[in-house]
Amino acid sequence: IVGISGVGKSALAKFIFDDANVREHFGDISAWVYMTDRTDQLVTIEQIIYSFNPKDNISYMTSLDSAYSQLQDIIEGKRFLLVLDDVWNEICVLWNDLRSVLSKGAPGSVVLVTTQLYSVANFVGTAGPVILDPLQSDDSWALLRRYAFVEPCRSLSTEGLKEIGRKISHRLHGLPLSIKVTGATLRSQLEEADWREILNSWWWNVSDDNFAIRIISSLGSCYSALPGYLRQCFVYCSIFPRNYVFEKDKLVQMWIANGFIQLDSSSGVKRLEDVGGEWFYELVNRAFLQPSARKTEYIMHDLVWDFA
């Protein structure tokens, strides 16, 4: 699956990965690996092994040969689905050896790759790529409306919000990532003045013909709408590597250790962990963090990470 960042490659791959028929077809032999910035071949193979079987002990692996042998033991003679998400040119270094091992799987096995680079798609692909383009104007507005208006009665009774929402959707250039984050932000804003403040945000002034900059403009306007305590917690996530897989409890403990979370009279009998958990899910609900392929873990989209 090929397309620019933020256009929905990973979302489409996840829709396929989670489909009930796909799950039934491949059984338990399926794995998802986030590939961005992975230059160490051994670490890459270890992550593939771990994704197939999180219970495997990969700490003893000291060589590529032992890692490939372990991977072959997992997939040999079995039909599997492997998603390599956000692949860059580094895949070229290990692809021939990896493909040789993956070919030991049963006929009908599938490796699904998402990438921004046609050269990668041509190098690894055995079928024509699926190319994703930005959404058309009407589809952009339909998607934004779906995220922003959760309650049907609200969508029917707020013509003023619809007018502002259409103007905002034109500034998102058909990029689903921008639409999702912006829609989640609008959903949390109840007043027309709040929507107009986002529409008039100075962040839109930094937009140009570069799609990445356009997404940053939309993220900036949504970031400005975050409460101060969430901004601090969000930016803290940028100290982790791109495509880092977050565990909620561990991240909340780090927020607490850094003094980001303080109890006050409004907290009642809540613990620091309870408050941090609420903040974490607020970032998830606003789409600054999103569930990974493993339901109990979360990631930050690479462009959201760039912005942070």
Side-chain angles (χ1 to χ4, degrees):
I1 304 176
V2 184
I4 60 174
S5 188
V7 81
K9 301 182 299 298
S10 299
L12 176 57
K14 193 169 187 300
F15 182 81
I16 297 167
F17 188 79
D18 291 338
D19 181 81
N21 292 327
V22 172
R23 287 288 190 184
E24 182 180 354
H25 184 75
F26 293 103
D28 295 330
I29 314 299
S30 59
W32 185 297
V33 181
Y34 299 100
M35 295 290 290
T36 307
D37 290 350
R38 292 199 189 283
T39 56
D40 187 303
Q41 296 183 51
L42 178 58
V43 172
T44 299
I45 305 306
E46 287 176 345
Q47 287 303 311
I48 294 174
I49 293 169
Y50 175 78
S51 296
F52 273 119
N53 189 357
K55 295 180 181 178
D56 268 1
N57 178 17
I58 59 176
S59 60
Y60 66 88
M61 294 182 191
T62 56
S63 70
L64 270 174
D65 288 341
S66 62
Y68 280 127
S69 176
Q70 177 77 358
L71 177 58
Q72 182 169 323
D73 289 342
I74 294 173
I75 65 170
E76 190 164 18
K78 301 172 184 175
R79 186 167 57 195
F80 67 86
L81 169 63
L82 172 62
V83 177
L84 303 178
D85 190 18
D86 207 4
V87 174
W88 292 83
N89 285 323
E90 288 78 11
I91 193 71
C92 300
V93 177
L94 60 83
W95 182 246
N96 287 335
D97 290 336
L98 177 58
R99 182 176 57 186
S100 176
V101 173
L102 294 177
S103 67
K104 305 298 183 182
S109 297
V110 172
V111 181
L112 178 59
V113 172
T114 75
T115 181
Q116 296 184 46
L117 304 177
Y118 288 100
S119 58
V120 168
N122 291 332
F123 184 77
V124 305
T126 57
V130 175
I131 300 172
L132 293 188
D133 293 318
L135 299 175
Q136 298 297 314
S137 178
D138 288 345
D139 292 327
S140 295
W141 167 233
L143 186 59
L144 181 65
R145 190 174 59 215
R146 178 178 175 183
Y147 281 116
F149 296 114
V150 177
E151 303 170 17
C153 59
R154 185 182 175 194
S155 65
L156 294 173
S157 62
T158 50
E159 292 302 321
L161 293 184
K162 282 187 178 181
E163 181 183 350
I164 299 171
R166 279 190 175 277
K167 292 179 180 178
I168 292 174
S169 73
H170 287 313
R171 296 186 173 183
L172 302 177
H173 304 286
L175 296 173
L177 173 65
S178 295
I179 294 169
K180 182 177 182 179
V181 177
T182 305
T185 298
L186 294 175
R187 185 174 64 233
S188 67
Q189 308 292 319
L190 301 178
E191 302 297 332
E192 189 173 314
D194 296 325
W195 283 41
R196 198 171 295 282
E197 185 174 343
I198 292 174
L199 175 64
N200 297 325
S201 171
W202 66 269
W203 278 97
W204 302 112
N205 297 330
V206 304
S207 183
D208 63 15
D209 290 335
N210 184 298
F211 272 99
I213 298 299
R214 289 176 177 177
I215 291 180
I216 285 176
S217 298
S218 62
L219 294 177
S221 61
C222 296
Y223 172 79
S224 297
L226 287 176
Y229 59 86
L230 282 183
R231 294 184 198 177
Q232 187 176 39
C233 293
F234 164 70
V235 171
Y236 178 79
C237 295
S238 68
I239 71 172
F240 298 91
R242 187 190 303 271
N243 274 343
Y244 182 83
V245 179
F246 293 96
E247 296 180 28
K248 176 180 76 73
D249 292 341
K250 286 185 179 179
L251 182 59
V252 168
Q253 288 292 341
M254 292 179 188
W255 288 345
I256 293 172
N258 281 276
F260 297 163
I261 305 173
Q262 303 292 333
L263 297 180
D264 55 31
S265 57
S266 65
S267 304
V269 295
K270 293 178 181 177
R271 303 174 304 149
L272 289 170
E273 290 81 0
D274 297 330
V275 175
E278 292 174 0
W279 292 5
F280 181 91
Y281 285 122
E282 193 168 350
L283 286 176
V284 173
N285 290 336
R286 290 173 179 260
F288 284 101
L289 290 170
Q290 58 191 33
S292 72
R294 294 190 287 272
K295 306 299 183 183
T296 58
E297 298 172 337
Y298 298 81
I299 63 164
M300 181 175 281
H301 190 282
D302 61 326
L303 280 178
V304 177
W305 182 86
D306 285 340
F307 173 77

